[in-house]
Amino acid sequence: MARVALVTGGTRGIGASISKALKAAGYKVAANYGGNDAAAEKFKAENAIPVYKWDVSSFEASAAGVKQVEADLGPIEVLVNNAGITRDGAFHKMTIEQWNAVIGTNLGSLFNVTRQVIEGMRARKFGRIINISSINGQKGQFGQVNYSAAKAGDIGFTKALALENAKGGITVNVICPGYINTEMVQAVPKEVLEKSILPLIPVNRLGEPHEIARAVVFLAADDAGAITGSTLTINGGQYMT
């Protein structure tokens, strides 16, 4: 029987590629999204992957959302915590709203969603949890104190949760993408991209969403059970760890 995978932020950008790659690999996929109904419906129609709308920064909404996914598809055995937002600004001008929004979605969601599935995974003695962090959680980034703090927190969350569950057949890993060719990066002015970003990337190109997705499929596999607590860096050599 196909394993059930939930991808948060799973209808656009990197998340959409992850959802499609997991489906192609034989998983029953549920794609969560937060607000763009038109994009979600288009994704659903094109890929025949069910979509579920809820705010991952809310514990109560996440509990209800996961309950619905499991009622429809079965117990979640693979969880990809991918949902993320940016609210950039220099720290001395940052508002509490900017801080809370990013911490809630990019870090708080890992607790809110993972907490709903971890007990079931422990009972079944199998689980794959894959968190999507960022190069900026590893090295920091000007104007992204909130984002960098959240993404660094994702890495710490991964390591601690991996330790707690290693004996129970549950792996927990984190992927740190660099600059990936998504809508967000495409919105950067071409001149800035070519003069200020690409020169910092040794492979001299942006990463592609499907390259992140392939890594997720690898970590989600049944035979990846010896890999846990790991940070997989995919950034074209921009930041080497």
Side-chain angles (χ1 to χ4, degrees):
M1 177 178 281
R3 296 195 183 280
V4 176
L6 169 63
V7 183
T8 68
T11 64
R12 299 170 64 196
I14 291 172
S17 286
I18 293 170
S19 295
K20 290 186 282 187
L22 286 169
K23 183 184 178 185
Y27 294 85
K28 292 167 63 177
V29 180
N32 153 269
Y33 73 103
N36 193 325
D37 294 321
E41 288 305 315
K42 184 174 185 288
F43 172 85
K44 178 181 178 181
E46 290 178 350
N47 299 287
I49 293 174
V51 299
Y52 296 83
K53 182 179 182 179
W54 78 81
D55 177 5
V56 293
S57 71
S58 164
F59 183 83
E60 292 76 16
S62 296
V66 167
K67 184 177 181 180
Q68 187 60 58
V69 171
E70 294 197 322
D72 293 346
L73 302 181
I76 294 167
E77 295 175 293
V78 176
L79 171 62
V80 184
N81 285 308
N82 168 75
I85 62 171
T86 56
R87 298 289 186 271
D88 296 351
F91 184 75
H92 65 280
K93 296 181 180 179
M94 186 172 289
T95 66
I96 187 64
E97 289 78 17
Q98 287 174 299
W99 174 267
N100 285 340
V102 169
I103 296 297
T105 297
N106 297 16
L107 178 58
S109 66
L110 270 64
F111 176 85
N112 295 338
V113 181
T114 307
R115 185 63 183 83
Q116 315 306 327
V117 303
I118 192 68
E119 290 187 57
M121 289 180 175
R122 288 170 65 90
R124 294 186 297 273
K125 298 191 179 303
F126 180 89
R128 297 286 183 265
I129 299 167
I130 302 149
N131 302 315
I132 308 300
S133 179
S134 167
I135 184 176
N136 293 338
Q138 297 173 299
K139 70 175 187 61
Q141 178 62 36
F142 185 94
Q144 287 196 326
V145 170
N146 50 2
Y147 185 84
S148 295
K151 291 301 187 178
D154 293 347
I155 297 170
F157 176 100
T158 297
K159 292 178 179 181
L161 192 64
L163 283 172
E164 289 188 9
N165 291 279
K167 291 182 179 179
I170 300 166
T171 66
V172 191
N173 295 288
V174 60
I175 296 173
C176 291
Y179 283 93
I180 306 299
N181 189 22
T182 61
E183 289 179 23
M184 183 172 66
V185 173
Q186 289 165 5
V188 174
K190 185 178 179 182
E191 182 177 341
V192 174
L193 191 65
E194 293 180 351
K195 292 186 177 181
S196 301
I197 295 176
L198 289 179
L200 300 176
I201 305 173
V203 301
N204 199 39
R205 68 172 178 86
L206 301 175
E208 295 295 333
H210 70 81
E211 294 177 298
I212 308 301
R214 288 186 66 184
V216 170
V217 172
F218 169 71
L219 292 172
D222 281 26
D223 56 5
I227 307 169
T228 195
S230 292
T231 303
L232 182 54
T233 298
I234 307 177
N235 60 37
Q238 183 180 353
Y239 184 78
M240 299 185 185
T241 58

